[in-house]
PDB file of all heavy atoms in Angstrom:
ATOM      1  N   PRO A 261      -1.909-172.834 -59.385  1.00 96.00           N
ATOM      2  CA  PRO A 261      -1.776-173.706 -58.194  1.00 96.00           C
ATOM      3  C   PRO A 261      -1.569-172.947 -56.800  1.00 96.00           C
ATOM      4  O   PRO A 261      -1.682-173.470 -55.769  1.00 96.00           O
ATOM      5  CB  PRO A 261      -0.553-174.611 -58.413  1.00 96.00           C
ATOM      6  CG  PRO A 261      -0.328-174.577 -59.912  1.00 96.00           C
ATOM      7  CD  PRO A 261      -0.811-173.282 -60.350  1.00 96.00           C
ATOM      8  N   PHE A 262      -1.188-171.610 -56.986  1.00 94.00           N
ATOM      9  CA  PHE A 262      -0.931-170.852 -55.780  1.00 94.00           C
ATOM     10  C   PHE A 262      -2.186-170.118 -55.349  1.00 94.00           C
ATOM     11  O   PHE A 262      -2.066-169.360 -54.337  1.00 94.00           O
ATOM     12  CB  PHE A 262       0.173-169.712 -56.158  1.00 94.00           C
ATOM     13  CG  PHE A 262       1.441-170.269 -56.557  1.00 94.00           C
ATOM     14  CD1 PHE A 262       1.811-170.491 -57.829  1.00 94.00           C
ATOM     15  CD2 PHE A 262       2.422-170.464 -55.532  1.00 94.00           C
ATOM     16  CE1 PHE A 262       3.063-171.008 -58.190  1.00 94.00           C
ATOM     17  CE2 PHE A 262       3.639-171.071 -55.852  1.00 94.00           C
ATOM     18  CZ  PHE A 262       3.969-171.274 -57.135  1.00 94.00           C
ATOM     19  N   LYS A 263      -3.316-170.483 -55.762  1.00 88.00           N
ATOM     20  CA  LYS A 263      -4.637-169.817 -55.324  1.00 88.00           C
ATOM     21  C   LYS A 263      -4.887-170.382 -53.863  1.00 88.00           C
ATOM     22  O   LYS A 263      -4.420-171.374 -53.482  1.00 88.00           O
ATOM     23  CB  LYS A 263      -5.674-170.298 -56.309  1.00 88.00           C
ATOM     24  CG  LYS A 263      -6.014-171.771 -56.352  1.00 88.00           C
ATOM     25  CD  LYS A 263      -7.049-172.125 -57.266  1.00 88.00           C
ATOM     26  CE  LYS A 263      -7.371-173.597 -57.404  1.00 88.00           C
ATOM     27  NZ  LYS A 263      -6.275-174.410 -57.861  1.00 88.00           N
ATOM     28  N   PRO A 264      -5.775-169.553 -53.236  1.00 82.00           N
ATOM     29  CA  PRO A 264      -6.194-170.031 -51.875  1.00 82.00           C
ATOM     30  C   PRO A 264      -6.929-171.408 -51.983  1.00 82.00           C
ATOM     31  O   PRO A 264      -7.569-171.664 -53.019  1.00 82.00           O
ATOM     32  CB  PRO A 264      -7.145-168.900 -51.470  1.00 82.00           C
ATOM     33  CG  PRO A 264      -6.780-167.778 -52.277  1.00 82.00           C
ATOM     34  CD  PRO A 264      -6.334-168.292 -53.592  1.00 82.00           C
ATOM     35  N   HIS A 265      -6.734-172.229 -50.972  1.00 74.00           N
ATOM     36  CA  HIS A 265      -7.271-173.502 -51.054  1.00 74.00           C
ATOM     37  C   HIS A 265      -8.459-173.703 -49.994  1.00 74.00           C
ATOM     38  O   HIS A 265      -8.421-173.189 -48.919  1.00 74.00           O
ATOM     39  CB  HIS A 265      -6.169-174.563 -50.732  1.00 74.00           C
ATOM     40  CG  HIS A 265      -5.108-174.550 -51.752  1.00 74.00           C
ATOM     41  ND1 HIS A 265      -4.052-173.752 -51.613  1.00 74.00           N
ATOM     42  CD2 HIS A 265      -4.936-175.197 -52.929  1.00 74.00           C
ATOM     43  CE1 HIS A 265      -3.204-173.923 -52.649  1.00 74.00           C
ATOM     44  NE2 HIS A 265      -3.785-174.819 -53.445  1.00 74.00           N
ATOM     45  N   ARG A 266      -9.408-174.525 -50.447  1.00 76.00           N
ATOM     46  CA  ARG A 266     -10.632-174.727 -49.625  1.00 76.00           C
ATOM     47  C   ARG A 266     -10.565-176.175 -49.060  1.00 76.00           C
ATOM     48  O   ARG A 266     -11.443-176.492 -48.161  1.00 76.00           O
ATOM     49  CB  ARG A 266     -11.882-174.595 -50.421  1.00 76.00           C
ATOM     50  CG  ARG A 266     -12.009-173.104 -50.947  1.00 76.00           C
ATOM     51  CD  ARG A 266     -13.328-172.988 -51.782  1.00 76.00           C
ATOM     52  NE  ARG A 266     -13.515-171.603 -52.214  1.00 76.00           N
ATOM     53  CZ  ARG A 266     -14.450-171.260 -52.968  1.00 76.00           C
ATOM     54  NH1 ARG A 266     -15.445-172.114 -53.338  1.00 76.00           N
ATOM     55  NH2 ARG A 266     -14.566-169.981 -53.409  1.00 76.00           N
ATOM     56  N   SER A 267      -9.787-177.055 -49.390  1.00 89.00           N
ATOM     57  CA  SER A 267      -9.647-178.364 -48.896  1.00 89.00           C
ATOM     58  C   SER A 267      -8.198-178.924 -48.871  1.00 89.00           C
ATOM     59  O   SER A 267      -7.338-178.377 -49.525  1.00 89.00           O
ATOM     60  CB  SER A 267     -10.504-179.361 -49.724  1.00 89.00           C
ATOM     61  OG  SER A 267      -9.853-179.559 -51.031  1.00 89.00           O
ATOM     62  N   VAL A 268      -7.928-179.891 -47.965  1.00 88.00           N
ATOM     63  CA  VAL A 268      -6.631-180.398 -47.933  1.00 88.00           C
ATOM     64  C   VAL A 268      -6.215-181.100 -49.161  1.00 88.00           C
ATOM     65  O   VAL A 268      -5.075-181.008 -49.654  1.00 88.00           O
ATOM     66  CB  VAL A 268      -6.620-181.473 -46.693  1.00 88.00           C
ATOM     67  CG1 VAL A 268      -5.209-182.135 -46.562  1.00 88.00           C
ATOM     68  CG2 VAL A 268      -6.848-180.739 -45.369  1.00 88.00           C
ATOM     69  N   ARG A 269      -7.155-181.795 -49.755  1.00 89.00           N
ATOM     70  CA  ARG A 269      -6.888-182.468 -51.019  1.00 89.00           C
ATOM     71  C   ARG A 269      -6.420-181.481 -52.137  1.00 89.00           C
ATOM     72  O   ARG A 269      -5.421-181.739 -52.776  1.00 89.00           O
ATOM     73  CB  ARG A 269      -8.088-183.236 -51.564  1.00 89.00           C
ATOM     74  CG  ARG A 269      -7.866-183.979 -52.851  1.00 89.00           C
ATOM     75  CD  ARG A 269      -9.133-184.781 -53.267  1.00 89.00           C
ATOM     76  NE  ARG A 269      -8.874-185.484 -54.537  1.00 89.00           N
ATOM     77  CZ  ARG A 269      -8.864-184.870 -55.768  1.00 89.00           C
ATOM     78  NH1 ARG A 269      -9.073-183.534 -55.861  1.00 89.00           N
ATOM     79  NH2 ARG A 269      -8.579-185.559 -56.810  1.00 89.00           N
ATOM     80  N   GLU A 270      -7.122-180.381 -52.255  1.00 91.00           N
ATOM     81  CA  GLU A 270      -6.774-179.357 -53.212  1.00 91.00           C
ATOM     82  C   GLU A 270      -5.331-178.807 -52.943  1.00 91.00           C
ATOM     83  O   GLU A 270      -4.544-178.629 -53.868  1.00 91.00           O
ATOM     84  CB  GLU A 270      -7.742-178.138 -53.073  1.00 91.00           C
ATOM     85  CG  GLU A 270      -8.954-178.274 -53.954  1.00 91.00           C
ATOM     86  CD  GLU A 270      -9.793-177.036 -53.916  1.00 91.00           C
ATOM     87  OE1 GLU A 270      -9.660-176.253 -53.041  1.00 91.00           O
ATOM     88  OE2 GLU A 270     -10.527-176.800 -54.909  1.00 91.00           O
ATOM     89  N   PHE A 271      -4.994-178.649 -51.753  1.00 88.00           N
ATOM     90  CA  PHE A 271      -3.712-178.131 -51.321  1.00 88.00           C
ATOM     91  C   PHE A 271      -2.613-179.105 -51.720  1.00 88.00           C
ATOM     92  O   PHE A 271      -1.654-178.683 -52.389  1.00 88.00           O
ATOM     93  CB  PHE A 271      -3.613-177.939 -49.786  1.00 88.00           C
ATOM     94  CG  PHE A 271      -2.194-177.640 -49.392  1.00 88.00           C
ATOM     95  CD1 PHE A 271      -1.678-176.416 -49.431  1.00 88.00           C
ATOM     96  CD2 PHE A 271      -1.417-178.654 -48.776  1.00 88.00           C
ATOM     97  CE1 PHE A 271      -0.392-176.061 -49.049  1.00 88.00           C
ATOM     98  CE2 PHE A 271      -0.159-178.393 -48.351  1.00 88.00           C
ATOM     99  CZ  PHE A 271       0.371-177.108 -48.461  1.00 88.00           C
ATOM    100  N   PHE A 272      -2.735-180.326 -51.562  1.00 91.00           N
ATOM    101  CA  PHE A 272      -1.667-181.276 -51.856  1.00 91.00           C
ATOM    102  C   PHE A 272      -1.641-181.476 -53.506  1.00 91.00           C
ATOM    103  O   PHE A 272      -0.492-181.748 -53.973  1.00 91.00           O
ATOM    104  CB  PHE A 272      -1.904-182.611 -51.226  1.00 91.00           C
ATOM    105  CG  PHE A 272      -1.430-182.488 -49.785  1.00 91.00           C
ATOM    106  CD1 PHE A 272      -2.348-182.500 -48.685  1.00 91.00           C
ATOM    107  CD2 PHE A 272      -0.040-182.477 -49.444  1.00 91.00           C
ATOM    108  CE1 PHE A 272      -1.884-182.419 -47.370  1.00 91.00           C
ATOM    109  CE2 PHE A 272       0.425-182.410 -48.107  1.00 91.00           C
ATOM    110  CZ  PHE A 272      -0.539-182.386 -47.080  1.00 91.00           C
ATOM    111  N   VAL A 273      -2.758-181.481 -54.017  1.00 93.00           N
ATOM    112  CA  VAL A 273      -2.711-181.513 -55.613  1.00 93.00           C
ATOM    113  C   VAL A 273      -1.976-180.412 -56.143  1.00 93.00           C
ATOM    114  O   VAL A 273      -1.053-180.535 -57.030  1.00 93.00           O
ATOM    115  CB  VAL A 273      -4.134-181.630 -56.139  1.00 93.00           C
ATOM    116  CG1 VAL A 273      -4.164-181.429 -57.644  1.00 93.00           C
ATOM    117  CG2 VAL A 273      -4.786-182.938 -55.769  1.00 93.00           C
ATOM    118  N   ASP A 274      -2.264-179.224 -55.664  1.00 93.00           N
ATOM    119  CA  ASP A 274      -1.607-178.032 -56.219  1.00 93.00           C
ATOM    120  C   ASP A 274      -0.140-177.991 -55.771  1.00 93.00           C
ATOM    121  O   ASP A 274       0.771-177.469 -56.446  1.00 93.00           O
ATOM    122  CB  ASP A 274      -2.332-176.756 -55.814  1.00 93.00           C
ATOM    123  CG  ASP A 274      -3.602-176.538 -56.628  1.00 93.00           C
ATOM    124  OD1 ASP A 274      -3.635-177.063 -57.685  1.00 93.00           O
ATOM    125  OD2 ASP A 274      -4.476-175.782 -56.131  1.00 93.00           O
ATOM    126  N   LEU A 275       0.139-178.388 -54.572  1.00 93.00           N
ATOM    127  CA  LEU A 275       1.574-178.483 -54.122  1.00 93.00           C
ATOM    128  C   LEU A 275       2.392-179.378 -55.014  1.00 93.00           C
ATOM    129  O   LEU A 275       3.570-179.037 -55.385  1.00 93.00           O
ATOM    130  CB  LEU A 275       1.636-179.037 -52.738  1.00 93.00           C
ATOM    131  CG  LEU A 275       3.122-179.155 -52.099  1.00 93.00           C
ATOM    132  CD1 LEU A 275       3.766-177.691 -52.008  1.00 93.00           C
ATOM    133  CD2 LEU A 275       2.978-179.778 -50.697  1.00 93.00           C
ATOM    134  N   PHE A 276       1.852-180.531 -55.482  1.00 94.00           N
ATOM    135  CA  PHE A 276       2.525-181.386 -56.403  1.00 94.00           C
ATOM    136  C   PHE A 276       2.844-180.624 -57.721  1.00 94.00           C
ATOM    137  O   PHE A 276       3.849-180.686 -58.389  1.00 94.00           O
ATOM    138  CB  PHE A 276       1.797-182.616 -56.678  1.00 94.00           C
ATOM    139  CG  PHE A 276       2.432-183.511 -57.701  1.00 94.00           C
ATOM    140  CD1 PHE A 276       3.464-184.363 -57.382  1.00 94.00           C
ATOM    141  CD2 PHE A 276       1.901-183.487 -59.017  1.00 94.00           C
ATOM    142  CE1 PHE A 276       4.077-185.157 -58.323  1.00 94.00           C
ATOM    143  CE2 PHE A 276       2.509-184.344 -60.003  1.00 94.00           C
ATOM    144  CZ  PHE A 276       3.638-185.145 -59.665  1.00 94.00           C
TER     145      PHE A 276
END
Side-chain angles (χ1 to χ4, degrees):
F262 294 97
K263 63 182 179 294
H265 297 90
R266 296 181 180 177
S267 71
V268 174
R269 182 182 178 279
E270 274 187 337
F271 170 78
F272 282 105
V273 168
D274 283 340
L275 179 61
F276 177 79

